[in-house]
Amino acid sequence: MFSEIMRKILDGTAGGVGAVLMGYDGIAIEEYFKPCEGVDLHLIAVEYANVLKEIKKTAEILQTGIMEEVSVKTERFQVVIRTITDDYFVALTLAQGGNFGKARYLLKLETQSLREALA
Amino acid sequence: MFSEIMRKILDGTAGGVGAVLMGYDGIAIEEYFKPCEGVDLHLIAVEYANVLKEIKKTAEILQTGIMEEVSVKTERFQVVIRTITDDYFVALTLAQGGNFGKARYLLKLETQSLREALA
C-alpha cells in the first residue's frame, strides 16, 4: 500500500530522485532512490529527520500550529517534506531543475492516503 | 538601503506579515512586522535562525552544496528564508493563504541587491 503511493509520488514528479516514508527517529518504513552520483540519499533523509524534529518542536513552542511542510533547497538538490502523522513524514528529493510545485502538490494530495495506510 | 529592499519584498507579497534581515546568531539588522495577533514574529525569526544553522551544517556535511532557500509551513504561517551571505539570511513570514510563489520570487530577485548592500 505504502509502496504504491510512494512510487506514484516519485514517478509523478519530474526530477524526483528519491522518496522516503520515515519516522522522526530516522528509521524508514519505505524508500525508493534512483541512482544518484556522489550522494547518499538515504543519509540525507536521516539527517533531515533530525532537523525536522527541531522545526516541529520550534513550531509547538511558538504556537504557530502544527508543522505541515518543510522544503530545503541547496545547490544540488531540493527536498520537500510533508508531515503525515505525529511520528512520520514523507521526504521527496528532487535534482536541480525538478518540478518543485508538482512535488508539493502530490505530497499534499497523497497525505490522507498515507495517513490511512499507516493507521 | 536595506530598509528599501526589505519593504519592497514585504509590500510586494500578498499576505506578507513580517520581513527580517538577520544573522545566524539571531541578531537582526533590519526588521518589519505588521501587527499580528497572538504571535511574536521577531521571536519566530530568532528561533528559525537556530534551525537554519542546523540545516546549513547538514547541507555542508552531506556535500549537497550551499543552502539557498528554506521554507516552513505550519497551520498559521509560512516562513520563506533565503540565504544572503555566509552570515546573513532574510526571512519572510506569510499569513495563511499568502502568496508563497511571489515570496520566493521576490526573495530570489533581491538576493543580489541585499548582498551588495551588506558588503
Side-chain angles (χ1 to χ4, degrees), chain B residues 50-91:
Chain B
N50 263 319
V51 175
L52 274 186
K53 253 193 294 192
E54 283 300 310
I55 298 177
K56 203 164 168 275
K57 215 168 56 187
T58 302
E60 279 159 21
I61 291 168
L62 296 171
Q63 299 188 303
T64 55
I66 292 162
M67 177 183 79
E68 294 176 348
E69 190 192 276
V70 174
S71 76
V72 178
K73 191 178 181 302
T74 61
E75 276 172 311
R76 295 186 57 197
F77 296 102
Q78 182 139 16
V79 183
V80 189
I81 295 151
R82 182 108 199 154
T83 301
I84 303 298
T85 68
D86 210 33
D87 295 313
Y88 296 99
F89 65 88
V90 180

Side-chain angles (χ1 to χ4, degrees), chain A residues 53-99:
Chain A
K53 254 193 294 191
E54 284 299 310
I55 299 177
K56 202 164 169 275
K57 216 167 57 188
T58 301
E60 279 159 21
I61 292 168
L62 297 171
Q63 300 187 301
T64 55
I66 292 163
M67 177 184 80
E68 294 176 348
E69 190 192 276
V70 174
S71 76
V72 178
K73 190 177 181 306
T74 60
E75 277 172 310
R76 295 186 56 196
F77 296 102
Q78 181 139 17
V79 183
V80 189
I81 296 152
R82 182 108 199 154
T83 301
I84 303 298
T85 69
D86 210 35
D87 295 314
Y88 296 98
F89 65 88
V90 180
L92 186 61
T93 305
L94 308 175
Q96 220 187 16
N99 194 335

